[in-house]
Amino acid sequence: MRLERIKDPGDWNRSLSELTKSLFFRSEWYEVFKTPWKKNLLLKLENCFLPLQLNLVTRTAFSGPWGSYGGPVGDFDLSEVIIKKAKRELLLSRIFIHSEKDLKLSSLNFFVEKNYSVIVNLDNLESIMKRLHENRRRNLKKALEGGFYFEVVRGEEGVKRYVKLLRRTLKERRSYKFHKISLFKKIAKLNEALFCFSGKEHDESGALILEISPDTIFYWHGVNSKEALNLHIGDFLHFSIIEYGLKRGFKFYNLGASPHEELLKYKLSWGGEGKIIYTYRV
């Protein structure tokens, strides 16, 4: 079996169009994270595909850049073979794969770490409210009485406002860390990217949401001004995003994974279910 390398973005997307509708597997998503020393490839082995971003300096590769999922798609039985061939033929020292699936590797030398992504079922508002944790319901009740706004802004206008909030938060909390500003600007060019804001006067919470598929919205990043945390504006923001998803016919709100127990508990308090995310180091 011969390993093919697909570089053209159009060919990349056409090859996967019948296998997955997720933004996280499309060439546009990998382009967001590209730098002069990184190269994007879609590998093909018969009817099995593996998207990769190669670091040409360290000879490492990622399937599923930061905050997203990747891994083999198509003929699942060829997963281990395509990974093995990719590492050998591309002369890689390591492949990191963030996968929603258990790849069931056996012959490869690998390490796997498990985290949980929290997914809220957007069935109807009444059912969602019933599933909320008691503390979340109590804080949300206070937030709904706060007279906060909710706004969704796309593109350049959205990223400018979001970056302004990021920089303000950094001044308030020096320990706060976030990605390079250039990354947010690249994501803002995606049609699927939404910048959501809630607040009142100078107190504001923001979130970068991705419409990753026809049925799922994904919480990719969030930020809160110092006072917004005390006023539960972040709770109001999440609730408003849930309402936004319901109105537009989305079925799931994916709050993403977290290695921190307290943050995971917070996400679960929205009545969602935990789904295992596998991080492989091969």
Side-chain angles (χ1 to χ4, degrees):
M1 292 183 287
R2 186 172 67 89
L3 187 67
E4 299 179 42
R5 307 178 189 186
I6 301 173
K7 302 176 184 178
D8 179 76
D11 292 340
W12 177 317
N13 290 335
R14 280 190 293 273
S15 297
L16 298 182
S17 62
E18 299 299 322
L19 299 174
T20 176
K21 302 299 182 185
S22 174
L23 168 67
F24 289 155
F25 286 85
R26 295 217 308 267
S27 64
E28 298 96 309
W29 182 247
Y30 279 76
E31 195 65 27
V32 165
F33 297 87
K34 190 176 180 180
T35 64
W37 58 90
K38 292 179 181 178
K39 178 180 180 181
N40 297 332
L41 285 175
L42 177 65
L43 301 180
K44 178 183 179 183
L45 187 68
E46 295 190 346
N47 196 38
C48 183
F49 297 84
L50 178 65
L52 282 180
Q53 182 164 89
L54 284 63
N55 187 313
L56 302 175
V57 177
T58 62
R59 302 307 304 177
T60 57
F62 286 84
S63 188
W66 196 96
S68 66
Y69 312 135
V73 288
D75 188 346
F76 196 68
D77 291 336
L78 291 176
S79 295
E80 189 160 7
V81 182
I82 196 171
I83 294 170
K84 188 181 296 185
K85 279 181 169 288
K87 188 174 181 182
R88 182 176 67 247
E89 295 186 22
L90 297 176
L91 304 177
L92 299 173
S93 60
R94 281 282 185 272
I95 300 179
F96 298 88
I97 302 172
H98 304 296
S99 174
E100 293 182 279
K101 299 178 180 178
D102 180 355
L103 300 182
K104 301 187 182 302
L105 305 180
S106 58
S107 63
L108 285 170
N109 183 20
F110 69 95
F111 170 82
V112 62
E113 180 183 356
K114 297 179 183 180
N115 286 306
Y116 286 89
S117 179
V118 178
I119 302 174
V120 178
N121 185 10
L122 301 182
D123 43 6
N124 61 77
L125 196 57
E126 183 179 355
S127 297
I128 292 170
M129 293 296 291
K130 288 180 179 179
R131 292 195 296 266
L132 295 180
H133 187 275
E134 180 183 351
N135 291 344
R136 193 60 43 232
R137 195 180 297 116
R138 181 175 62 248
N139 290 344
L140 183 57
K141 182 179 179 181
K142 296 177 184 176
L144 291 173
E145 296 170 352
F148 304 133
Y149 58 77
F150 173 68
E151 297 172 2
V152 177
V153 189
R154 294 178 183 265
E156 187 174 349
E157 181 185 351
V159 74
K160 282 183 178 179
R161 184 169 166 183
Y162 197 76
V163 167
K164 184 178 180 180
L165 180 57
L166 286 171
R167 286 174 170 158
R168 175 187 165 190
T169 303
L170 183 60
K171 288 182 180 179
E172 294 174 342
R173 306 200 305 273
R174 291 290 181 181
S175 60
Y176 180 73
K177 296 180 180 179
F178 57 86
H179 299 287
K180 291 181 179 180
I181 299 301
S182 59
L183 182 59
F184 291 100
K185 291 181 178 179
K186 287 182 178 180
I187 292 178
K189 295 178 181 178
L190 298 173
N191 294 329
E192 297 84 357
L194 310 172
F195 294 92
C196 304
F197 302 94
S198 288
K200 189 176 184 179
E201 298 177 348
H202 299 296
D203 305 314
E204 191 170 54
S205 294
L208 172 50
I209 303 299
L210 300 171
E211 297 176 341
I212 62 169
S213 70
D215 64 3
T216 302
I217 49 176
F218 189 95
Y219 177 82
W220 194 80
H221 192 269
V223 59
N224 299 278
S225 66
K226 189 175 182 179
E227 191 57 29
L229 292 171
N230 300 326
L231 296 174
H232 308 299
I233 295 177
D235 286 349
F236 181 84
L237 177 64
H238 278 296
F239 180 74
S240 299
I241 292 170
I242 287 172
E243 287 189 312
Y244 173 91
L246 282 167
K247 289 176 182 176
R248 282 154 183 79
F250 288 97
K251 296 180 180 179
F252 305 102
Y253 179 29
N254 192 325
L255 288 162
S258 175
H260 305 293
E261 186 175 351
E262 286 303 312
L263 185 53
L264 179 61
K265 285 181 179 178
Y266 173 79
K267 292 180 177 181
L268 287 169
S269 73
W270 285 97
E273 296 184 0
K275 179 180 180 180
I276 297 178
I277 301 299
Y278 302 86
T279 299
Y280 291 90
R281 186 172 72 236
V282 181

